[in-house]
Amino acid sequence: MTVQSCLAVVLAAGEGTRMKSDLPKVLHAVGGRPLIDAVLESARAGGADRLAVVIGAGADKVRAHLNKTASDAQVFEQCERLGTAHAALAAREALASHRGPVLVLFGDTPLVRPATIAALTKRLSAGADIALLGFTTDTPTGYGRLIVEDGRLVAIVEEKDADPATKTIRLCNSGIMAFRSGLLPGLIEAIGNTNAKGEYYLTDAIAVGTARGLRAEAVIGDDESEFVGINDRAQLAAAEAIFQRRARTAAMANGATLVAPDTVFFSFDTRLGRDVIVEPNVIFAPGVDVASGTVIRAFSHLEGAKVAAGAVVGPYARLRPGADLAENVHVGNFVEIKNARVDQGAKVNHLTYIGDATIGARTNVGAGTITCNYDGVFKHKTIIGADVFVGSNTVMVAPVTVGDNALTAAGSVITADVPNGAMAFGRARQEIKEGMGAAKKAALAAKKAAAKSAT
Ligand code: UD1
Ligand code: CA
């Protein structure tokens, strides 16, 4: 059997009016990833080898985004928003040149699993002309309702066109459909716009197809959380909650301990090894890779960071993009690390900022140390060698290098390179004035007493 090519058409042109946003709806994120990227990823993993995206509202922004994240997708523009059938037609060029099944997905439905999508095209192979993903919910308001007669899907009625009896139907349209090769353009042409919204509804392909004697079937998904369509901010938050629930379950299934799972937040690409312990209230923003056997302590925020085995991070640590912690590194409370490699066994434990730097193995960075990496215009590098002892409250004015085995005195401002094994002082020398402390205190006390007796 030859495997047919499968085209996925993703509709993403809608105004997203209910989001009340300057950002196009499909660029809003769930799990740190724009909705459109999640949909395209599911389509690919669900079997699509060709991708077409229909954009419209905020087209420039969406196009620029797709150029970066989905250069394999063909992009079409729907110039007026006349409904989902009209949107699908905008991709007519891709449809006309395609032989094989066609999937249609919505850009605002990001949680559908690849296997669920694959089940639709399987239904085509088993003889259906059109297969549509439906789901049952106790909160059907806003979704199109599936009309099933004698076990066959015959029509979909949109919320705005539904009479009270139809509104009680709990079987809903997810928006995801699959069409047998070559069918879709002819069906769309026959779809009219005599409905409450005056739009061309792609959902009418079911009634049109059925009238032509085609076989339309509903595949009913068993997990309604996959089909949340995002139209407003409340649905965006609901989708985020579903994503987080899935991510927490997966992290634990893979061997991580989440002490308080509901307080840990993941991104779509977070990678946690086995036997990672994550304490409460930790956020993994995108791009984080945490190796096995590490502890991420409470209230830490990680983004674009790598943490190697045996490291301990936090509590209250912030790892920003480019933070790269080697094995057994300790990063403690109120420490921020950005674009810096910290080698094996080094410790940066208290109240410190390390940016655009490298720190050698076993080096100890004292409390309150700061790399001054920015002169207001340019960023500069700080290089700290291995086995260095950085005294508390050291300021490293970059560019600067501190050699292996060197020591900086507490409170130093280091502006010149420190050779290997040297000790650097960069602070005013302390002076002692015998008796002056007590005399000063006595003078102040007398002044206060005089002021009091005058009132
Ligand atoms: C749609 C379905 C509904 C289904 C629900 C699932 C139709 C007519 N209705 O309703 O049956 O239960 O999704 O979430 O299909 N779009 C365009 N161009 C347009 C209009 C829409 O590209 O002219 C895109 C939108 O960007 C969106 C998708 O199509 O990604 C769906 O449009 P939306 O307005 O969100 O439809 P719903 O009212 O949610
Ligand atoms: Ca929608």
Side-chain angles (χ1 to χ4, degrees), residues 171-419:
L171 190 55
C172 293
N173 173 27
S174 71
I176 301 166
M177 300 192 211
F179 297 87
R180 187 164 56 72
S181 184
L183 269 187
L184 187 54
L187 290 173
I188 293 175
E189 259 163 43
I191 291 174
N193 67 347
T194 47
N195 52 50
K197 282 171 97 177
E199 284 188 358
Y200 297 89
Y201 292 158
L202 187 60
T203 44
D204 284 348
I206 302 297
V208 169
T210 304
R212 290 181 177 184
L214 296 174
R215 188 179 177 88
E217 293 182 11
V219 174
I220 309 303
D222 50 18
D223 178 3
E224 88 174 80
S225 77
E226 286 186 63
F227 308 111
V228 177
I230 297 172
N231 302 304
D232 57 31
R233 307 273 181 162
Q235 286 168 324
L236 182 67
E240 183 71 35
I242 294 163
F243 169 85
Q244 293 299 342
R245 208 163 55 228
R246 283 188 192 175
R248 290 163 190 150
T249 305
M252 291 187 283
N254 290 330
T257 292
L258 308 184
V259 176
D262 290 350
T263 69
V264 178
F265 293 84
F266 291 95
S267 290
F268 71 101
D269 61 351
T270 306
R271 287 170 50 180
L272 291 192
R274 283 160 72 99
D275 294 315
V276 172
I277 296 175
V278 184
E279 291 186 356
N281 297 300
V282 169
I283 294 178
F284 295 101
V288 174
D289 191 336
V290 177
S292 298
T294 53
V295 183
I296 310 297
R297 304 187 69 184
F299 294 99
S300 294
H301 187 287
L302 293 79
E303 178 177 9
K306 252 175 91 176
V307 180
V312 179
V313 174
Y316 297 99
R318 179 161 185 216
L319 301 186
R320 290 175 51 207
D324 180 1
L325 312 189
E327 289 74 15
N328 305 315
V329 161
H330 287 195
V331 169
N333 40 270
F334 305 106
V335 170
E336 174 179 343
I337 301 209
K338 183 214 76 167
N339 188 31
R341 161 79 181 177
V342 184
D343 273 340
Q344 282 79 358
K347 294 194 169 81
V348 191
N349 270 334
H350 330 270
L351 303 159
T352 289
Y353 172 65
I354 300 293
D356 302 310
T358 61
I359 296 179
R362 299 170 302 279
T363 283
N364 187 89
V365 177
T369 293
I370 281 174
T371 53
C372 293
N373 58 327
Y374 187 46
D375 59 17
V377 181
F378 298 105
K379 298 274 172 71
H380 302 281
K381 241 190 130 165
T382 300
I383 298 167
I384 303 172
D387 300 299
V388 173
F389 183 88
V390 178
S392 292
N393 202 29
T394 295
V395 173
M396 315 253 184
V397 183
V400 73
T401 298
V402 178
D404 293 345
N405 217 17
L407 197 151
T408 67
S412 289
V413 178
I414 302 297
T415 52
D417 289 354
V418 180

